[in-house]
Amino acid sequence: MTDSYILALVNYALDNQLIEKEDYTYAVNAVLEVMQLDSIDLSAQPAETDSLEEILNYLIQDGVKRGIVDDNFTAYDLFDTKLMGVFTPFPSQVRKTFASLYKEDSAKATDWYYNFSKATNYIRTERVARDKKWTYDCEYGQLDITINLSKPEKDPRAIAAAKNAPQSDYPKCQLCAENEGYAGRMNHPARQNHRIIPVTINNSDWFFQYSPYVYYNEHCIVFNGQHVPMKIEKATFGKLLDFVKQFPHYFVGSNADLPIVGGSILSHDHFQGGNYTFTMAKAGIEKELAFKGFEDVQAGIVKWPMSVIRLSSPDTDRLIELADKILLAWREYTDEAAFVYAYTDGVPHNTITPIARKKGDNFELDLVLRNNITTEDRPLGVYHPNSKLHHIKKENIGLIEVMGLAVLPGRLNKELAQLKDAVLAGADIRGDEALSVHADWIDELKAQYTFDENNTEEILKQEVGKVFKQVLEDAGVYKCTDEGKAAFMRFVDTVNK
């Protein structure tokens, strides 16, 4: 049977144009080497399956039985990536193909690269398909809700193996260009099937790739060629807009550069983008603004739970100048009445999450005002989800969430199913160790709804959406109240002074 699955894997590579017919024998022998086998029956019938994951899983388990693969999920990923690396062309070939297609059309180049990244299993399409997704309609628009099931849960056996693995600072992080082709280890993912595209933005060397666990269509990562920390500055706006000029069908944005309000990797300067229109991008202007000396730039406060100033102009230089003026003003801005402090004990708190896109003939910059101050009552952040929401979302609110897509932890998939059963059975949720964190929430829902077999699952999903809306409102520096709107305008007025 192993021979059949090896031949099925090579046929997959051939069908997906990773290899040519002339490469067939070479590819079979390369797979044999990875499998540590000496021979194969080429007359064997290839396994009949359209699932790459099924093929790889069979070969992994064969390796486990023969003792060449450790029995844990991290080792499985290291091994199947090594197998797919057999078929992945050298970086120079990938870059030449991309460059040739880009000369015709930037979208044609990214379409090819995205499909290539799926074909090599760098984007694990079958895992991504397991993510649970739905939408929630509210006064701000239609929010996207995702329970992330594509990233495997941490395997205790893998954790133990990683603890005992030799430590290394190569590559310095998972975003560094040195990951391309890297074999990986127990505490660092394999990347033999990973290829990156060089891009020059704002006269600096960067690279472009896709996320292996895409949260939305063509979810890409644009990262600095140097391992330097995240920094929001004038040049950031120039880089974002330069990328959009080169790939006008993509948006691109940056996480903030401070803890709590920033992303999970602050040590390596990077952006995220893609071919997707988030709800925030669809949101209209709630209040038009005019900035002194920039009357030619359209500006306004976006109707959104977080505090967003949108700038629009065909002239990117004007956008950059005004965005920088707003950033510099916000960095130093304090308004005690609104509990906005630029510094406490010399530690900075104000920053911006910027997003760039092209809309018609104009370029747009959305500037999301962020503040990461903490208090004794709110040790994770004043502008962070309230503790009563942590049973659904406790993690930082980064770029993706800011734009209206909830990335929720995988545990919720099981917990929501168990909650449905418990509610319908009238079970004691407070007495259940795993579900007790949801008890107050469920009590509130029981006062609002009459649950039955037909509506419980949908009610829970919609109420999760409502929690995410509250998460975004908590993360907003200026609340969508008369008082909050007045405080927002006090800041705008200081920019105009």
Side-chain angles (χ1 to χ4, degrees):
M1 283 292 286
T2 300
D3 290 355
S4 296
Y5 278 90
I6 289 174
L7 294 176
L9 181 61
V10 177
N11 284 348
Y12 167 88
L14 186 61
D15 292 342
N16 284 274
Q17 301 177 329
L18 294 175
I19 61 172
E20 304 287 342
K21 285 183 180 179
E22 293 85 350
D23 303 322
Y24 195 88
T25 300
Y26 177 93
V28 168
N29 288 333
V31 173
L32 286 178
E33 181 181 4
V34 175
M35 295 295 297
Q36 297 184 29
L37 295 170
D38 295 327
S39 62
I40 186 172
D41 179 5
L42 291 173
S43 66
Q45 182 69 27
E48 294 185 8
T49 176
D50 294 327
S51 169
L52 175 60
E53 188 173 59
E54 181 184 333
I55 295 169
L56 292 172
N57 284 344
Y58 185 93
L59 297 177
I60 288 167
Q61 291 308 313
D62 176 81
V64 171
K65 290 174 187 174
R66 294 188 292 109
I68 65 168
V69 180
D70 289 340
D71 192 11
N72 64 70
F73 292 128
T74 300
Y76 298 170
D77 280 2
L78 291 172
F79 188 71
D80 70 13
T81 303
K82 187 175 184 180
L83 282 169
M84 293 309 299
V86 165
F87 311 110
T88 307
F90 272 95
S92 57
Q93 185 178 338
V94 174
R95 294 173 186 184
K96 284 176 184 175
T97 301
F98 185 90
S100 175
L101 291 170
Y102 184 87
K103 288 177 182 177
E104 298 177 40
D105 180 57
S106 62
K108 192 171 183 179
T110 55
D111 285 348
W112 172 82
Y113 182 44
Y114 189 57
N115 289 323
F116 169 81
S117 298
K118 290 192 287 187
T120 64
N121 207 40
Y122 175 70
I123 297 175
R124 293 178 176 265
T125 308
E126 291 180 80
R127 283 188 186 173
V128 172
R130 296 187 192 121
D131 289 348
K132 294 293 179 68
K133 298 182 178 183
W134 67 92
T135 58
Y136 172 71
D137 292 326
C138 66
E139 62 267 37
Y140 307 111
Q142 191 174 77
L143 303 180
D144 293 314
I145 313 297
T146 298
I147 295 179
N148 178 20
L149 300 175
S150 53
K151 270 189 180 177
E153 296 289 332
K154 291 289 185 181
D155 185 334
R157 296 167 298 179
I159 292 170
K163 184 178 179 181
N164 297 323
Q167 297 301 304
S168 171
D169 60 357
Y170 180 87
K172 289 181 179 178
C173 78
Q174 292 186 26
L175 287 179
C176 285
E178 289 78 13
N179 282 279
E180 188 175 41
Y182 187 62
R185 52 185 191 269
M186 289 305 296
N187 54 11
H188 194 100
R191 291 290 183 254
Q192 292 102 320
N193 60 348
H194 179 41
R195 298 295 179 262
I196 58 180
I197 303 297
V199 290
T200 301
I201 52 175
N202 207 35
N203 300 312
S204 56
D205 294 331
W206 285 56
F207 290 94
F208 163 57
Q209 66 178 59
Y210 290 105
S211 167
Y213 299 103
V214 290
Y215 293 135
Y216 50 85
N217 187 48
E218 297 179 48
H219 178 183
C220 70
I221 301 170
V222 186
F223 61 98
N224 199 315
Q226 302 297 316
H227 183 79
V228 294
M230 297 283 291
K231 188 176 183 181
I232 303 297
E233 58 184 350
K234 183 178 182 179
T236 306
F237 307 128
K239 291 168 185 172
L240 293 172
L241 289 165
D242 194 13
F243 182 83
V244 171
K245 282 181 181 178
Q246 296 178 54
F247 300 93
H249 58 298
Y250 275 12
F251 82 90
V252 68
S254 175
N255 268 303
D257 54 357
L258 294 178
I260 297 176
V261 295
S264 57
I265 301 178
L266 293 176
S267 61
H268 195 130
D269 198 13
H270 70 285
F271 308 142
Q272 294 183 78
N275 189 5
Y276 189 74
T277 303
F278 282 87
T279 304
M280 190 179 84
K282 300 174 188 175
I285 297 298
E286 188 170 49
K287 182 177 179 60
E288 292 186 359
L289 302 175
F291 288 98
K292 193 180 299 183
F294 292 90
E295 289 79 8
D296 56 317
V297 177
Q298 297 175 40
I301 295 173
V302 179
K303 183 176 172 55
W304 194 244
M306 299 188 69
S307 308
V308 187
I309 296 174
R310 178 169 295 159
L311 309 178
S312 178
S313 173
D315 187 340
T316 56
D317 288 339
R318 296 292 286 164
L319 289 179
I320 293 166
E321 290 297 327
L322 179 51
D324 185 49
K325 183 176 182 179
I326 294 169
L327 172 65
L328 293 176
W330 180 245
R331 289 281 195 196
E332 303 298 321
Y333 183 72
T334 291
D335 181 351
E336 293 184 9
F339 206 80
V340 174
Y341 293 88
Y343 302 91
T344 55
D345 299 324
V347 177
H349 296 301
N350 290 347
T351 185
I352 280 176
T353 298
I355 301 107
R357 67 183 74 87
K358 186 127 191 290
K359 200 167 185 179
D361 293 329
N362 280 11
F363 292 89
E364 286 186 353
L365 267 180
D366 281 354
L367 307 177
V368 188
L369 307 182
R370 311 297 303 274
N371 180 289
N372 76 344
I373 195 168
T374 61
T375 63
E376 287 187 11
D377 292 339
R378 301 289 289 272
L380 296 180
V382 171
Y383 305 108
H384 182 82
N386 189 289
S387 58
K388 72 176 184 177
L389 308 177
H390 289 181
H391 66 107
I392 299 294
K393 179 71 174 176
K394 184 179 181 178
E395 298 78 13
N396 291 354
I397 305 306
L399 173 67
I400 294 172
E401 286 88 2
V402 163
M403 295 185 292
L405 191 158
V407 181
L408 302 177
R411 62 172 172 81
L412 278 178
N413 188 50
K414 183 178 180 181
E415 289 173 9
L416 289 175
Q418 291 174 333
L419 282 172
K420 175 186 173 182
D421 293 341
V423 167
L424 292 174
D428 177 18
I429 292 173
R430 290 188 187 278
D432 186 308
E433 185 178 353
L435 300 181
S436 59
V437 294
H438 301 292
D440 289 345
W441 181 55
I442 293 297
D443 284 347
E444 291 175 9
L445 299 187
K446 283 180 177 178
Q448 299 174 44
Y449 299 101
T450 300
F451 289 101
D452 60 41
E453 184 67 41
N454 296 319
N455 68 9
T456 302
E457 182 177 348
E458 186 60 25
I459 288 172
L460 291 176
K461 287 167 66 175
Q462 290 304 303
E463 289 297 325
V464 166
K466 185 181 291 185
V467 168
F468 179 56
K469 183 191 80 166
Q470 294 170 336
V471 161
L472 292 179
E473 289 171 340
D474 281 354
V477 174
Y478 297 116
K479 308 308 176 188
C480 298
T481 61
D482 290 342
E483 185 181 8
K485 291 173 183 178
F488 200 157
M489 286 307 300
R490 290 200 296 272
F491 167 66
V492 171
D493 290 342
T494 65
V495 179
N496 275 324
K497 285 182 179 177

